[in-house]
Amino acid sequence: MKTVSGSIASQREKLVFKISIALLILSGLAQMPLFKRYYISEIPGLGWTADYHFNHVLHYLAAAVLLFIIFKWAAAFVRTKKPRPQLTISGSIRMGLFSLIIITGFLRAVKNLQDFYFSPAATTAIIWIHLAAGLILGFMAMYSLFARKRYFKLSQQ
Amino acid sequence: MPSSLSAFIMVCSLVSYQVVASKRSLFMSKNKFVTGNLSRRNFLGLAGAGLAGAILPGTAQAAQKGQELATMLDIESCINCGQCVEACKRVNGHKFPEPKKPYPEMFPSRVPVEDWSDRRDVHDRLTPYNWLYIQTSRGEYNGLEFEIHIPRRCLHCQNPPCSNLCPWGAAVREVNGIVRINDKICLGGAKCKSVCPWLIPQRQTGVGLYLDLMPRFAGNGVMYKCDRCYDRLALGELPACIEICPMQLQTIGPREEILNQARKLAEDIGGYIYGDQENGGTNTFYVSPVPFSVLNDNIIKGPGQPHLDPVENTMARSEALTAFLALAPVAGIAAGLLSLKADRNNKEK
Protein backbone atom coordinates (compact mmCIF):
# COMPACT_ATOMS: atom_id res chain seq x y z
CA MET A 1 0.00 0.00 0.00
CA LYS A 2 1.33 3.38 -0.93
CA THR A 3 -0.28 6.78 -0.90
CA VAL A 4 -0.42 8.56 -4.18
CA SER A 5 0.77 11.79 -2.67
CA GLY A 6 3.78 9.85 -1.43
CA SER A 7 4.79 9.06 -5.00
CA ILE A 8 4.67 12.75 -5.97
CA ALA A 9 5.98 14.42 -2.85
CA SER A 10 9.32 13.63 -1.32
CA GLN A 11 9.74 13.65 2.45
CA ARG A 12 11.91 16.76 2.17
CA GLU A 13 9.23 18.56 0.17
CA LYS A 14 6.60 17.61 2.71
CA LEU A 15 8.77 19.04 5.46
CA VAL A 16 9.27 22.32 3.54
CA PHE A 17 5.51 22.42 2.90
CA LYS A 18 4.75 22.03 6.60
CA ILE A 19 7.32 24.64 7.62
CA SER A 20 5.92 27.14 5.10
CA ILE A 21 2.39 26.51 6.39
CA ALA A 22 3.56 27.04 9.98
CA LEU A 23 5.27 30.30 9.02
CA LEU A 24 2.18 31.44 7.11
CA ILE A 25 -0.05 30.80 10.12
CA LEU A 26 2.35 32.54 12.47
CA SER A 27 3.03 35.56 10.26
CA GLY A 28 -0.66 35.70 9.33
CA LEU A 29 -1.71 35.85 12.97
CA ALA A 30 1.04 38.38 13.57
CA GLN A 31 -0.70 40.69 11.10
CA MET A 32 -3.26 41.22 13.84
CA PRO A 33 -2.45 43.30 16.87
CA LEU A 34 -2.55 40.34 19.23
CA PHE A 35 1.00 39.23 19.97
CA LYS A 36 1.92 42.46 21.67
CA ARG A 37 -1.38 42.68 23.53
CA TYR A 38 -1.00 39.18 24.91
CA TYR A 39 2.68 39.51 25.90
CA ILE A 40 3.87 36.97 23.31
CA SER A 41 6.26 39.46 21.74
CA GLU A 42 7.80 39.98 25.18
CA ILE A 43 8.97 36.38 25.35
CA PRO A 44 12.74 36.46 24.69
CA GLY A 45 13.38 35.79 21.00
CA LEU A 46 9.80 36.54 19.92
CA GLY A 47 10.03 40.32 19.73
CA TRP A 48 9.70 40.08 15.97
CA THR A 49 6.12 38.81 16.28
CA ALA A 50 5.05 42.42 16.98
CA ASP A 51 6.87 43.81 13.94
CA TYR A 52 4.14 44.20 11.30
CA HIS A 53 6.45 44.97 8.40
CA PHE A 54 8.75 42.03 9.20
CA ASN A 55 5.81 39.65 9.38
CA HIS A 56 4.39 41.05 6.18
CA VAL A 57 7.62 40.22 4.36
CA LEU A 58 7.82 36.82 6.08
CA HIS A 59 4.25 36.06 4.94
CA TYR A 60 5.20 36.86 1.34
CA LEU A 61 8.34 34.68 1.45
CA ALA A 62 6.55 31.72 3.06
CA ALA A 63 3.72 32.10 0.51
CA ALA A 64 6.24 32.01 -2.37
CA VAL A 65 7.72 28.75 -1.00
CA LEU A 66 4.24 27.26 -0.55
CA LEU A 67 3.22 28.23 -4.08
CA PHE A 68 6.38 26.65 -5.49
CA ILE A 69 5.76 23.35 -3.70
CA ILE A 70 2.02 23.20 -4.45
CA PHE A 71 2.46 23.95 -8.13
CA LYS A 72 5.32 21.46 -8.37
CA TRP A 73 3.06 18.76 -6.95
CA ALA A 74 0.15 19.88 -9.13
CA ALA A 75 2.25 19.65 -12.29
CA ALA A 76 3.49 16.20 -11.34
CA PHE A 77 -0.05 15.10 -10.46
CA VAL A 78 -1.51 16.27 -13.76
CA ARG A 79 1.26 14.54 -15.71
CA THR A 80 0.84 11.29 -13.80
CA LYS A 81 -0.46 8.53 -16.07
CA LYS A 82 -4.04 7.38 -15.60
CA PRO A 83 -5.70 5.99 -13.59
CA ARG A 84 -5.15 9.05 -11.48
CA PRO A 85 -5.74 8.88 -7.76
CA GLN A 86 -8.98 10.32 -6.45
CA LEU A 87 -9.38 13.04 -3.87
CA THR A 88 -11.32 12.17 -0.75
CA ILE A 89 -14.15 14.47 0.34
CA SER A 90 -11.97 15.88 3.07
CA GLY A 91 -9.14 16.31 0.55
CA SER A 92 -11.46 18.07 -1.91
CA ILE A 93 -12.63 20.53 0.74
CA ARG A 94 -9.09 21.26 1.86
CA MET A 95 -7.88 21.65 -1.73
CA GLY A 96 -10.76 24.03 -2.40
CA LEU A 97 -9.90 26.07 0.67
CA PHE A 98 -6.23 26.13 -0.30
CA SER A 99 -7.22 27.39 -3.76
CA LEU A 100 -9.39 30.11 -2.24
CA ILE A 101 -6.60 31.19 0.10
CA ILE A 102 -4.05 31.25 -2.71
CA ILE A 103 -6.30 33.23 -5.06
CA THR A 104 -7.34 35.79 -2.44
CA GLY A 105 -3.79 35.96 -1.10
CA PHE A 106 -2.47 36.71 -4.55
CA LEU A 107 -5.16 39.35 -5.05
CA ARG A 108 -4.16 40.90 -1.74
CA ALA A 109 -0.57 41.10 -2.92
CA VAL A 110 -1.68 42.67 -6.20
CA LYS A 111 -3.84 45.14 -4.26
CA ASN A 112 -0.74 46.22 -2.37
CA LEU A 113 0.88 47.41 -5.59
CA GLN A 114 0.50 51.09 -6.23
CA ASP A 115 -0.61 50.74 -9.84
CA PHE A 116 -3.45 48.32 -9.17
CA TYR A 117 -6.74 49.48 -7.77
CA PHE A 118 -9.47 47.48 -6.07
CA SER A 119 -12.66 49.11 -4.87
CA PRO A 120 -13.18 49.36 -1.11
CA ALA A 121 -15.90 46.67 -1.25
CA ALA A 122 -13.67 44.32 -3.25
CA THR A 123 -10.74 45.00 -0.90
CA THR A 124 -12.77 44.15 2.19
CA ALA A 125 -14.33 41.08 0.52
CA ILE A 126 -10.94 39.71 -0.55
CA ILE A 127 -9.54 40.14 2.96
CA TRP A 128 -12.54 38.59 4.69
CA ILE A 129 -12.59 35.59 2.31
CA HIS A 130 -8.85 35.09 2.87
CA LEU A 131 -9.34 35.17 6.65
CA ALA A 132 -12.44 32.97 6.66
CA ALA A 133 -10.91 30.38 4.33
CA GLY A 134 -7.77 30.27 6.48
CA LEU A 135 -9.83 29.77 9.62
CA ILE A 136 -11.98 27.01 8.12
CA LEU A 137 -8.91 25.29 6.67
CA GLY A 138 -7.34 25.36 10.12
CA PHE A 139 -10.39 23.58 11.58
CA MET A 140 -10.49 21.12 8.68
CA ALA A 141 -6.80 20.34 9.11
CA MET A 142 -7.30 19.64 12.82
CA TYR A 143 -10.30 17.44 12.10
CA SER A 144 -8.41 15.56 9.39
CA LEU A 145 -5.45 15.03 11.69
CA PHE A 146 -7.49 13.58 14.53
CA ALA A 147 -9.93 11.65 12.31
CA ARG A 148 -7.01 10.36 10.16
CA LYS A 149 -8.51 11.68 6.96
CA ARG A 150 -6.21 11.69 3.94
CA TYR A 151 -6.17 13.88 0.84
CA PHE A 152 -6.27 10.95 -1.57
CA LYS A 153 -7.95 7.58 -1.56
CA LEU A 154 -5.45 4.83 -1.02
CA SER A 155 -4.73 2.88 -4.17
CA GLN A 156 -3.53 -0.70 -4.58
CA GLN A 157 -0.23 -0.84 -6.41
CA MET B 1 -22.98 79.20 -14.43
CA PRO B 2 -24.33 82.71 -15.11
CA SER B 3 -21.72 85.03 -16.56
CA SER B 4 -22.15 87.60 -13.77
CA LEU B 5 -21.37 84.95 -11.18
CA SER B 6 -18.31 83.83 -13.14
CA ALA B 7 -17.10 87.40 -13.31
CA PHE B 8 -17.63 87.80 -9.56
CA ILE B 9 -15.71 84.61 -8.88
CA MET B 10 -12.86 85.73 -11.12
CA VAL B 11 -12.61 89.12 -9.43
CA CYS B 12 -12.67 87.53 -5.99
CA SER B 13 -10.05 85.01 -7.05
CA LEU B 14 -7.82 87.73 -8.41
CA VAL B 15 -8.17 89.79 -5.24
CA SER B 16 -7.41 86.74 -3.14
CA TYR B 17 -4.36 85.90 -5.24
CA GLN B 18 -3.06 89.44 -5.08
CA VAL B 19 -3.47 89.63 -1.32
CA VAL B 20 -1.50 86.42 -0.93
CA ALA B 21 1.14 87.59 -3.40
CA SER B 22 1.49 91.00 -1.79
CA LYS B 23 1.69 89.37 1.63
CA ARG B 24 4.54 87.20 0.45
CA SER B 25 6.49 90.07 -1.11
CA LEU B 26 5.91 92.16 2.02
CA PHE B 27 7.35 89.49 4.27
CA MET B 28 10.21 88.82 1.91
CA SER B 29 11.07 92.50 1.84
CA LYS B 30 11.24 92.47 5.63
CA ASN B 31 13.67 89.59 5.30
CA LYS B 32 11.35 87.48 7.41
CA PHE B 33 9.03 84.65 6.61
CA VAL B 34 6.45 85.62 9.17
CA THR B 35 2.72 85.21 9.05
CA GLY B 36 0.48 87.31 11.22
CA ASN B 37 -3.16 87.61 12.19
CA LEU B 38 -5.67 88.50 9.51
CA SER B 39 -8.03 91.33 10.24
CA ARG B 40 -9.89 91.13 6.96
CA ARG B 41 -11.04 87.57 7.51
CA ASN B 42 -14.55 88.01 6.26
CA PHE B 43 -13.52 89.75 3.11
CA LEU B 44 -10.92 87.15 2.35
CA GLY B 45 -13.35 84.43 3.23
CA LEU B 46 -15.61 85.75 0.52
CA ALA B 47 -12.69 85.90 -1.85
CA GLY B 48 -11.80 82.39 -0.84
CA ALA B 49 -15.29 81.20 -1.62
CA GLY B 50 -14.91 82.79 -5.03
CA LEU B 51 -11.68 80.97 -5.71
CA ALA B 52 -13.17 77.76 -4.36
CA GLY B 53 -15.95 78.16 -6.86
CA ALA B 54 -13.41 78.50 -9.61
CA ILE B 55 -11.47 75.42 -8.49
CA LEU B 56 -14.50 73.27 -7.91
CA PRO B 57 -15.75 72.29 -11.38
CA GLY B 58 -12.41 70.80 -12.49
CA THR B 59 -11.94 68.99 -9.20
CA ALA B 60 -15.44 67.58 -9.14
CA GLN B 61 -15.03 66.45 -12.73
CA ALA B 62 -11.73 64.77 -11.92
CA ALA B 63 -13.25 63.11 -8.85
CA GLN B 64 -16.17 61.83 -10.89
CA LYS B 65 -13.80 60.45 -13.53
CA GLY B 66 -12.00 58.53 -10.83
CA GLN B 67 -8.79 60.48 -11.27
CA GLU B 68 -6.30 60.55 -8.42
CA LEU B 69 -6.67 63.87 -6.66
CA ALA B 70 -3.96 65.67 -4.76
CA THR B 71 -3.72 68.82 -2.72
CA MET B 72 -0.99 71.43 -2.60
CA LEU B 73 -0.51 73.57 0.51
CA ASP B 74 1.35 76.82 0.08
CA ILE B 75 2.21 76.89 3.77
CA GLU B 76 3.90 80.27 3.62
CA SER B 77 0.39 81.69 3.20
CA CYS B 78 -1.05 80.10 6.33
CA ILE B 79 -1.96 82.72 8.94
CA ASN B 80 -2.95 80.23 11.64
CA CYS B 81 -6.51 81.56 11.76
CA GLY B 82 -7.78 78.04 12.53
CA GLN B 83 -10.79 78.30 10.24
CA CYS B 84 -9.85 75.05 8.49
CA VAL B 85 -9.74 73.24 11.85
CA GLU B 86 -13.15 74.61 12.83
CA ALA B 87 -14.66 73.81 9.43
CA CYS B 88 -13.31 70.26 9.55
CA LYS B 89 -14.89 69.71 12.98
CA ARG B 90 -18.19 71.25 11.90
CA VAL B 91 -18.54 69.44 8.60
CA ASN B 92 -17.32 66.07 9.86
CA GLY B 93 -19.01 66.26 13.25
CA HIS B 94 -21.58 63.66 12.27
CA LYS B 95 -18.75 61.16 11.71
CA PHE B 96 -17.23 61.64 15.15
CA PRO B 97 -17.55 58.80 17.68
CA GLU B 98 -20.32 58.78 20.28
CA PRO B 99 -19.09 56.13 22.70
CA LYS B 100 -21.23 54.62 25.40
CA LYS B 101 -19.83 54.49 28.92
CA PRO B 102 -18.79 52.56 30.88
CA TYR B 103 -16.32 50.95 28.52
CA PRO B 104 -15.76 47.19 28.59
CA GLU B 105 -13.04 46.12 30.95
CA MET B 106 -10.06 45.25 28.80
CA PHE B 107 -8.05 42.07 28.96
CA PRO B 108 -5.23 42.12 29.73
CA SER B 109 -5.63 45.17 31.89
CA ARG B 110 -2.65 46.94 30.34
CA VAL B 111 -4.61 47.49 27.11
CA PRO B 112 -5.10 51.26 27.06
CA VAL B 113 -8.51 52.87 27.08
CA GLU B 114 -8.22 55.82 24.73
CA ASP B 115 -11.06 58.16 25.47
CA TRP B 116 -11.21 61.56 23.82
CA SER B 117 -14.96 61.99 24.19
CA ASP B 118 -14.55 64.41 27.12
CA ARG B 119 -11.78 66.32 25.37
CA ARG B 120 -13.44 67.05 22.08
CA ASP B 121 -12.18 70.60 21.95
CA VAL B 122 -8.48 69.68 21.90
CA HIS B 123 -7.12 71.36 18.80
CA ASP B 124 -3.33 71.31 19.20
CA ARG B 125 -2.91 67.75 18.01
CA LEU B 126 -4.73 65.05 16.04
CA THR B 127 -7.48 63.23 17.93
CA PRO B 128 -10.58 61.23 16.92
CA TYR B 129 -12.41 64.57 17.15
CA ASN B 130 -9.75 66.70 15.50
CA TRP B 131 -8.59 65.40 12.15
CA LEU B 132 -6.64 68.51 11.26
CA TYR B 133 -4.52 70.81 13.37
CA ILE B 134 -2.04 73.57 12.72
CA GLN B 135 1.56 72.95 13.60
CA THR B 136 3.86 75.94 14.00
CA SER B 137 7.54 76.06 13.24
CA ARG B 138 9.53 79.03 14.51
CA GLY B 139 13.23 79.48 14.07
CA GLU B 140 16.02 80.92 12.04
CA TYR B 141 17.13 80.00 8.58
CA ASN B 142 19.96 81.67 6.65
CA GLY B 143 20.14 84.32 9.34
CA LEU B 144 16.45 85.18 9.01
CA GLU B 145 13.69 84.52 11.46
CA PHE B 146 10.71 82.55 10.30
CA GLU B 147 7.34 81.47 11.64
CA ILE B 148 5.49 79.04 9.44
CA HIS B 149 2.18 77.34 10.15
CA ILE B 150 1.55 73.91 8.72
CA PRO B 151 -1.95 72.37 8.56
CA ARG B 152 -1.35 68.72 9.45
CA ARG B 153 -3.61 65.82 8.63
CA CYS B 154 -3.43 62.51 6.76
CA LEU B 155 -1.32 62.92 3.61
CA HIS B 156 -3.29 60.25 1.70
CA CYS B 157 -0.36 58.12 0.49
CA GLN B 158 -0.44 56.74 -3.03
CA ASN B 159 0.31 53.28 -1.68
CA PRO B 160 -0.88 53.57 1.89
CA PRO B 161 0.50 51.08 4.42
CA CYS B 162 -2.49 51.72 6.71
CA SER B 163 -4.83 50.42 4.05
CA ASN B 164 -2.55 47.71 2.66
CA LEU B 165 -1.72 46.22 6.03
CA CYS B 166 -5.10 46.54 7.73
CA PRO B 167 -5.82 42.89 8.57
CA TRP B 168 -9.56 43.47 8.61
CA GLY B 169 -10.13 45.44 5.41
CA ALA B 170 -11.38 48.49 7.28
CA ALA B 171 -8.87 50.96 5.86
CA VAL B 172 -9.29 51.39 2.13
CA ARG B 173 -8.03 53.47 -0.75
CA GLU B 174 -10.60 55.10 -3.01
CA VAL B 175 -10.09 55.40 -6.74
CA ASN B 176 -9.61 59.17 -6.37
CA GLY B 177 -6.72 58.67 -3.95
CA ILE B 178 -8.63 59.17 -0.71
CA VAL B 179 -7.54 56.83 2.05
CA ARG B 180 -10.23 56.33 4.62
CA ILE B 181 -11.22 54.09 7.48
CA ASN B 182 -14.61 52.41 7.50
CA ASP B 183 -15.87 53.13 11.01
CA LYS B 184 -18.60 50.50 10.64
CA ILE B 185 -16.11 47.62 10.61
CA CYS B 186 -12.91 49.02 12.13
CA LEU B 187 -11.97 47.13 15.31
CA GLY B 188 -9.57 49.75 16.62
CA GLY B 189 -6.48 47.56 16.79
CA ALA B 190 -4.45 50.63 15.79
CA LYS B 191 -2.24 48.72 13.37
CA CYS B 192 -2.92 51.45 10.81
CA LYS B 193 -1.39 53.93 13.23
CA SER B 194 1.62 51.72 13.92
CA VAL B 195 2.44 51.31 10.23
CA CYS B 196 1.71 54.93 9.28
CA PRO B 197 5.04 56.78 9.02
CA TRP B 198 3.39 59.79 10.65
CA LEU B 199 1.22 57.86 13.16
CA ILE B 200 -1.82 59.78 11.93
CA PRO B 201 -4.93 57.66 12.80
CA GLN B 202 -6.25 58.19 16.32
CA ARG B 203 -8.30 55.77 18.39
CA GLN B 204 -11.50 56.19 20.35
CA THR B 205 -12.39 53.35 22.70
CA GLY B 206 -15.96 52.28 23.39
CA VAL B 207 -17.37 52.54 19.91
CA GLY B 208 -17.60 50.29 16.86
CA LEU B 209 -17.94 46.68 15.85
CA TYR B 210 -15.64 45.22 18.51
CA LEU B 211 -18.38 45.86 21.09
CA ASP B 212 -20.51 43.24 19.31
CA LEU B 213 -17.73 40.64 19.07
CA MET B 214 -15.34 40.03 21.96
CA PRO B 215 -14.99 43.48 23.51
CA ARG B 216 -12.75 42.36 26.35
CA PHE B 217 -10.36 40.28 24.30
CA ALA B 218 -9.97 41.77 20.82
CA GLY B 219 -10.30 45.25 19.37
CA ASN B 220 -10.44 48.52 21.21
CA GLY B 221 -12.66 50.99 19.38
CA VAL B 222 -12.38 52.72 16.03
CA MET B 223 -9.55 54.61 14.34
CA TYR B 224 -10.26 58.07 12.96
CA LYS B 225 -8.46 60.39 10.59
CA CYS B 226 -9.02 62.82 7.73
CA ASP B 227 -11.11 61.26 4.96
CA ARG B 228 -10.65 64.33 2.78
CA CYS B 229 -14.39 64.93 2.98
CA TYR B 230 -15.04 62.04 0.59
CA ASP B 231 -18.79 62.54 0.93
CA ARG B 232 -18.55 66.20 -0.05
CA LEU B 233 -16.32 65.39 -3.01
CA ALA B 234 -18.85 62.79 -4.15
CA LEU B 235 -21.46 65.55 -4.20
CA GLY B 236 -19.18 67.80 -6.20
CA GLU B 237 -18.20 69.94 -3.22
CA LEU B 238 -14.75 70.83 -1.95
CA PRO B 239 -13.27 69.46 1.27
CA ALA B 240 -14.26 71.80 4.10
CA CYS B 241 -10.71 72.92 4.96
CA ILE B 242 -10.05 73.94 1.37
CA GLU B 243 -13.33 75.74 0.91
CA ILE B 244 -13.14 77.79 4.09
CA CYS B 245 -9.50 78.90 3.95
CA PRO B 246 -9.43 82.70 3.62
CA MET B 247 -5.91 82.55 2.21
CA GLN B 248 -6.75 79.73 -0.18
CA LEU B 249 -3.48 78.09 0.62
CA GLN B 250 -4.73 74.71 -0.51
CA THR B 251 -5.30 73.72 -4.11
CA ILE B 252 -6.91 70.44 -5.10
CA GLY B 253 -7.06 68.73 -8.47
CA PRO B 254 -5.68 65.88 -10.57
CA ARG B 255 -2.37 64.75 -9.09
CA GLU B 256 -0.11 65.49 -12.05
CA GLU B 257 -1.49 69.00 -12.43
CA ILE B 258 -1.17 69.76 -8.75
CA LEU B 259 2.32 68.31 -8.61
CA ASN B 260 3.36 70.53 -11.51
CA GLN B 261 1.87 73.52 -9.70
CA ALA B 262 3.75 72.60 -6.54
CA ARG B 263 7.01 72.31 -8.48
CA LYS B 264 6.37 75.63 -10.19
CA LEU B 265 5.61 77.35 -6.89
CA ALA B 266 8.68 75.82 -5.26
CA GLU B 267 10.78 77.05 -8.17
CA ASP B 268 9.27 80.54 -8.01
CA ILE B 269 9.98 80.98 -4.32
CA GLY B 270 13.19 78.94 -4.27
CA GLY B 271 11.39 76.61 -1.93
CA TYR B 272 10.95 72.97 -1.06
CA ILE B 273 8.28 70.30 -1.39
CA TYR B 274 7.28 67.69 1.18
CA GLY B 275 4.97 64.81 0.34
CA ASP B 276 5.78 64.19 -3.31
CA GLN B 277 8.44 61.55 -2.53
CA GLU B 278 7.65 60.66 1.05
CA ASN B 279 6.54 57.08 1.61
CA GLY B 280 6.75 56.48 -2.13
CA GLY B 281 4.57 59.52 -2.88
CA THR B 282 1.52 61.00 -1.20
CA ASN B 283 -1.37 63.07 -2.45
CA THR B 284 -0.47 66.06 -0.30
CA PHE B 285 2.29 68.47 -1.29
CA TYR B 286 3.51 71.04 1.22
CA VAL B 287 5.48 73.87 -0.39
CA SER B 288 7.70 75.94 1.90
CA PRO B 289 10.38 78.61 1.48
CA VAL B 290 12.27 77.00 4.38
CA PRO B 291 13.70 73.47 4.08
CA PHE B 292 11.52 70.89 5.77
CA SER B 293 14.50 69.60 7.75
CA VAL B 294 14.70 73.06 9.36
CA LEU B 295 10.94 73.20 9.91
CA ASN B 296 11.09 69.72 11.40
CA ASP B 297 13.75 70.80 13.90
CA ASN B 298 11.46 73.56 15.10
CA ILE B 299 8.11 71.87 15.58
CA ILE B 300 6.63 70.13 18.58
CA LYS B 301 6.53 66.43 17.85
CA GLY B 302 4.78 63.79 19.88
CA PRO B 303 1.56 61.79 20.07
CA GLY B 304 -0.83 63.20 17.46
CA GLN B 305 1.82 65.71 16.38
CA PRO B 306 3.59 64.26 13.33
CA HIS B 307 7.13 64.93 12.18
CA LEU B 308 8.37 66.28 8.86
CA ASP B 309 11.23 63.79 8.41
CA PRO B 310 12.01 62.25 5.03
CA VAL B 311 10.15 58.94 4.77
CA GLU B 312 11.20 55.96 2.69
CA ASN B 313 8.58 53.87 0.90
CA THR B 314 7.42 51.47 3.57
CA MET B 315 5.70 49.26 0.98
CA ALA B 316 8.77 48.97 -1.27
CA ARG B 317 9.87 45.57 0.04
CA SER B 318 6.49 43.93 -0.41
CA GLU B 319 6.17 45.51 -3.85
CA ALA B 320 9.47 43.85 -4.82
CA LEU B 321 8.47 40.53 -3.26
CA THR B 322 5.30 40.35 -5.33
CA ALA B 323 7.53 39.26 -8.22
CA PHE B 324 8.48 36.19 -6.16
CA LEU B 325 4.81 35.37 -5.67
CA ALA B 326 4.19 35.61 -9.39
CA LEU B 327 7.23 33.54 -10.33
CA ALA B 328 6.87 30.83 -7.69
CA PRO B 329 4.01 28.93 -9.42
CA VAL B 330 5.83 29.04 -12.77
CA ALA B 331 9.02 27.76 -11.18
CA GLY B 332 7.00 25.10 -9.34
CA ILE B 333 5.36 23.83 -12.53
CA ALA B 334 8.72 23.72 -14.31
CA ALA B 335 10.29 21.85 -11.37
CA GLY B 336 7.38 19.39 -11.26
CA LEU B 337 7.63 18.55 -14.95
CA LEU B 338 11.41 18.25 -14.84
CA SER B 339 11.37 15.96 -11.80
CA LEU B 340 8.72 13.76 -13.42
CA LYS B 341 10.83 13.50 -16.55
CA ALA B 342 13.88 12.66 -14.49
CA ASP B 343 11.93 9.95 -12.65
CA ARG B 344 10.83 8.39 -15.94
CA ASN B 345 14.36 8.48 -17.31
CA ASN B 346 15.61 6.76 -14.19
CA LYS B 347 12.94 4.06 -14.48
CA GLU B 348 13.77 3.44 -18.16
CA LYS B 349 17.41 3.00 -17.25
Side-chain angles (χ1 to χ4, degrees):
Chain A
M1 297 261 288
K2 189 180 176 185
T3 61
V4 176
S5 62
S7 66
I8 292 172
S10 69
Q11 287 302 317
R12 192 181 298 171
E13 285 170 356
K14 283 182 181 174
L15 181 65
V16 173
F17 175 80
K18 286 174 184 171
I19 291 171
S20 70
I21 293 281
L23 287 176
L24 281 165
I25 293 170
L26 190 62
S27 57
L29 287 172
Q31 298 299 315
M32 301 185 197
L34 294 173
F35 287 168
K36 189 176 178 186
R37 176 171 179 158
Y38 288 105
Y39 299 92
I40 293 164
S41 64
E42 287 171 27
I43 297 170
L46 291 182
W48 57 272
T49 56
D51 183 337
Y52 295 126
H53 284 290
F54 175 82
N55 282 289
H56 186 61
V57 168
L58 181 61
H59 205 68
Y60 272 52
L61 289 172
V65 171
L66 181 80
L67 285 173
F68 176 83
I69 297 278
I70 284 183
F71 276 84
K72 181 177 183 292
W73 290 347
F77 178 77
V78 170
R79 296 288 293 176
T80 303
K81 284 180 183 170
K82 289 182 180 176
R84 288 213 191 93
Q86 283 194 328
L87 278 167
T88 61
I89 294 173
S90 157
S92 304
I93 294 171
R94 281 182 283 167
M95 284 282 197
L97 288 167
F98 260 120
S99 305
L100 207 54
I101 292 168
I102 288 169
I103 291 165
T104 51
F106 192 74
L107 289 174
R108 283 193 74 167
V110 172
K111 174 190 77 64
N112 290 348
L113 297 173
Q114 188 173 311
D115 297 331
F116 289 84
Y117 173 75
F118 289 77
S119 73
T123 300
T124 307
I126 289 166
I127 290 172
W128 283 15
I129 292 169
H130 192 73
L131 285 172
L135 192 68
I136 297 167
L137 180 61
F139 284 122
M140 275 301 297
M142 295 294 281
Y143 164 75
S144 303
L145 182 71
F146 291 115
R148 294 180 174 278
K149 299 283 182 186
R150 293 179 178 276
Y151 273 96
F152 294 98
K153 285 176 184 168
L154 295 176
S155 59
Q156 300 289 337
Q157 290 188 358
Chain B
M1 186 181 291
S3 58
S4 57
L5 184 58
S6 297
F8 172 74
I9 286 170
M10 283 180 69
V11 169
C12 288
S13 306
L14 190 62
V15 169
S16 175
Y17 173 78
Q18 285 178 341
V19 169
V20 172
S22 63
K23 184 169 138 291
R24 177 176 294 137
S25 59
L26 177 69
F27 295 140
M28 295 295 277
S29 66
K30 281 184 181 171
N31 289 337
K32 279 185 179 180
F33 305 113
V34 181
T35 54
N37 290 325
L38 183 73
S39 57
R40 293 161 292 173
R41 183 178 292 177
N42 292 338
F43 170 73
L44 288 175
L46 186 65
L51 189 60
I55 294 169
L56 186 57
T59 303
Q61 214 171 33
Q64 281 158 7
K65 277 183 191 167
Q67 278 182 294
E68 193 172 22
L69 297 175
T71 51
M72 176 187 76
L73 291 90
D74 173 12
I75 56 175
E76 191 189 353
S77 303
C78 183
I79 56 171
N80 196 17
C81 67
Q83 287 205 40
C84 53
V85 179
E86 288 168 25
C88 175
K89 276 178 178 279
R90 191 172 56 249
V91 164
N92 292 305
H94 67 285
K95 301 172 192 166
F96 290 164
E98 294 298 341
K100 289 174 194 160
K101 294 180 183 177
Y103 302 139
E105 203 174 306
M106 305 303 282
F107 181 85
S109 57
R110 72 165 178 177
V111 177
V113 169
E114 292 191 58
D115 183 14
W116 288 92
S117 61
D118 297 327
R119 293 175 286 164
R120 296 182 187 215
D121 54 350
V122 170
H123 62 271
D124 60 353
R125 57 162 289 173
L126 299 171
T127 78
Y129 300 90
N130 198 53
W131 300 353
L132 164 70
Y133 86 104
I134 300 183
Q135 195 173 45
T136 296
S137 183
R138 288 188 197 92
E140 231 181 74
Y141 173 61
N142 279 348
L144 307 175
E145 287 177 33
F146 69 83
E147 179 177 294
I148 287 183
H149 308 290
I150 314 153
R152 298 305 302 270
R153 52 162 172 75
C154 171
L155 284 87
H156 298 276
C157 300
Q158 285 195 288
N159 199 19
C162 62
S163 152
N164 289 335
L165 302 185
C166 175
W168 193 234
V172 292
R173 177 170 57 126
E174 303 271 4
V175 71
N176 56 10
I178 291 174
V179 182
R180 68 185 185 94
I181 297 168
N182 184 343
D183 63 343
K184 300 285 185 293
I185 59 172
C186 177
L187 297 173
K191 183 182 177 184
C192 53
K193 182 180 176 182
S194 302
V195 298
C196 170
W198 296 275
L199 307 175
I200 296 285
Q202 300 292 317
R203 175 164 55 194
Q204 172 62 46
T205 297
V207 65
L209 182 62
Y210 89 108
L211 293 171
D212 300 323
L213 302 173
M214 296 187 294
R216 283 198 69 199
F217 304 105
N220 191 4
V222 172
M223 306 304 294
Y224 292 90
K225 69 168 195 70
C226 162
D227 60 13
R228 216 207 255 158
C229 294
Y230 73 96
D231 41 353
R232 286 172 63 88
L233 272 176
L235 294 172
E237 297 170 9
L238 283 174
C241 59
I242 298 178
E243 188 179 73
I244 198 76
C245 179
M247 304 306 293
Q248 287 301 300
L249 68 96
Q250 285 199 65
T251 313
I252 186 168
R255 189 175 196 276
E256 278 312 304
E257 281 178 31
I258 298 297
L259 185 55
N260 287 337
Q261 283 184 35
R263 286 175 179 151
K264 175 79 172 51
L265 177 61
E267 199 181 309
D268 288 350
I269 64 171
Y272 306 85
I273 305 177
Y274 186 84
D276 58 334
Q277 304 290 326
E278 277 62 35
N279 202 24
T282 77
N283 282 317
T284 300
F285 313 128
Y286 291 102
V287 183
S288 163
V290 178
F292 284 94
S293 57
V294 177
L295 294 181
N296 190 43
D297 290 340
N298 293 282
I299 53 174
I300 298 171
K301 296 181 277 280
Q305 296 171 316
H307 62 78
L308 284 166
D309 283 325
V311 174
E312 286 186 10
N313 184 0
T314 54
M315 294 305 297
R317 270 181 301 184
S318 58
E319 283 173 12
L321 282 171
T322 306
F324 278 96
L325 292 178
L327 288 174
V330 180
I333 290 169
L337 296 178
L338 286 173
S339 67
L340 209 62
K341 194 177 174 187
D343 284 347
R344 281 179 191 155
N345 288 344
N346 286 339
K347 276 181 191 169
E348 281 168 15
K349 282 178 187 173

